[in-house]
């Protein structure tokens, strides 16, 4: 009991946990505008699309290191294009638990974001322009690291590099970037769902958690 008392008192002096904040609605809109802006560098526009996919598919950055099998499932409904874009990944937090079943984790995002046109359709066109055609996407990183000459390499952009690239894309819009990182991407739409009062079970599934109230609360 004496030792526990010491530990409990010590824990109150622990520095506050530094946690990446969700992106604001205006910041996500800025990423969509960056993707649509034909005056900007194609590689930056493609990266903006990759970050938007992580936002709308609620992905950890590590989920996107090695994906395969892109599927663009779209249709016309009341003269409006609707649908989803998806990839499969074996590179995720619980991969070792499901590997024995041979089942990848699907990463699925709606083609529409906050603004018009549908972001995923623009991202597909930009991907083709930078030689990352989704129709022939076999296996690799969603956002490969470029080399010194600007060509794609075979490795994925790391979470640290993704954080820096994301910050540079947002910097023309905002200077409040201290708590923004690649971890912000997954948290964004899950935060919106929580604010909207969405069902906790649905949020657990959409956050790619098999269970665990603690993850949901965080």
């Amino acid at each position: 009991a004496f030792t526990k008392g010491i530990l409990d008192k010590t824990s109150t002096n622990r520095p506050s946990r530094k946690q990446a904040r969700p992106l604001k609605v205006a910041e996500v809109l800025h990423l969509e505008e960056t993707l649509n802006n034909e005056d900007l560098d194609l590689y930056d526009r493609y990266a903006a699309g990759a970050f938007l996919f992580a936002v709308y598919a609620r992905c950890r950055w590590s989920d996107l290191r090695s994906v395969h099998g892109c599927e663009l499932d779209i249709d016309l409904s009341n003269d409006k294009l609707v649908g989803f874009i998806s990839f499969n990944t074996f590179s995720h937090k619980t991969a070792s638990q499901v590997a024995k079943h041979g089942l990848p984790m699907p990463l699925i995002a709606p083609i529409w974001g906050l603004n018009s046109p549908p972001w995923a359709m623009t991202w597909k066109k930009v991907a083709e322009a930078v030689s990352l055609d989704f129709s022939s996407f076999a296996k690799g990183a969603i956002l490969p690291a470029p080399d010194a000459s600007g060509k794609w390499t075979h490795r994925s952009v790391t979470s640290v590099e993704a954080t820096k690239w994301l910050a540079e894309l947002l910097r023309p819009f905002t200077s409040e970037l201290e708590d923004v990182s690649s971890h912000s991407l997954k948290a964004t739409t899950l935060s919106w769902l929580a604010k909207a009062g969405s069902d906790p079970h649905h949020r657990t599934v959409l956050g790619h958690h098999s269970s665990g109230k603690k993850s949901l609360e965080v």
Side-chain angles (χ1 to χ4, degrees), residues 26-218:
E27 292 167 343
V28 177
L29 277 167
H30 177 73
L31 287 177
E32 291 190 16
E33 291 165 3
T34 299
L35 173 60
N36 291 323
N37 191 341
E38 296 181 357
D39 293 331
L40 297 179
D41 178 80
L42 276 171
Y43 282 68
D44 279 340
R45 292 177 65 197
Y46 177 80
F51 295 139
L52 286 168
F53 179 79
V55 167
Y56 292 129
R58 308 155 314 278
C59 300
R60 297 180 184 88
W61 191 253
S62 58
D63 297 339
L64 306 179
R65 290 177 301 190
S66 180
V67 300
H68 61 94
C70 176
E71 181 181 2
L72 196 59
D73 184 8
I74 55 175
D75 196 9
L76 279 174
S77 175
N78 298 323
D79 296 323
K80 180 181 179 180
L81 197 66
V82 294
F84 300 88
I85 182 170
S86 65
F87 294 87
N88 291 319
T89 180
F90 280 105
S91 178
H92 56 92
K93 192 173 182 179
T94 56
S96 60
Q97 298 173 29
V98 298
K100 59 185 178 182
H101 302 295
L103 295 173
M105 182 171 74
L107 305 172
I108 306 169
I111 63 170
W112 282 92
L114 300 174
N115 215 340
S116 184
W119 71 272
M121 306 310 294
T122 306
W123 188 38
K124 181 178 183 294
K125 292 178 184 176
V126 174
E128 293 168 358
V130 295
S131 303
L132 291 173
D133 189 350
F134 290 159
S135 62
S136 59
F137 197 96
K139 185 176 181 181
I142 283 278
L143 184 57
D147 60 21
S149 64
K151 303 294 183 183
W152 298 122
T153 64
H154 293 294
R155 75 170 180 86
S156 171
V157 162
T158 66
S159 59
V160 173
E161 292 166 341
T163 295
K164 292 179 180 178
W165 202 337
L166 175 63
E168 288 305 311
L169 294 182
L170 292 174
R171 202 173 300 283
F173 175 77
T174 180
S175 59
E176 299 176 6
L177 298 169
E178 182 180 351
D179 296 324
V180 170
S181 77
S182 58
H183 300 297
S184 300
L185 302 170
K186 176 177 179 176
T188 299
T189 43
L190 293 175
S191 168
W192 295 350
L193 285 164
K195 291 169 184 172
S198 179
D199 182 271
H201 173 69
H202 294 167
R203 288 189 281 127
T204 298
V205 174
L206 289 170
H208 308 132
H209 299 293
S210 58
S211 62
K213 188 178 179 183
K214 184 177 179 182
S215 296
L216 186 67
E217 289 171 345
V218 170

Side-chain angles (χ1 to χ4, degrees), residues 5-19:
I6 294 174
L7 292 173
D8 288 344
K9 186 175 181 179
T10 303
S11 65
T12 62
N13 299 320
R14 184 178 298 169
S16 59
R17 179 176 175 179
K18 187 172 176 61
Q19 192 168 348

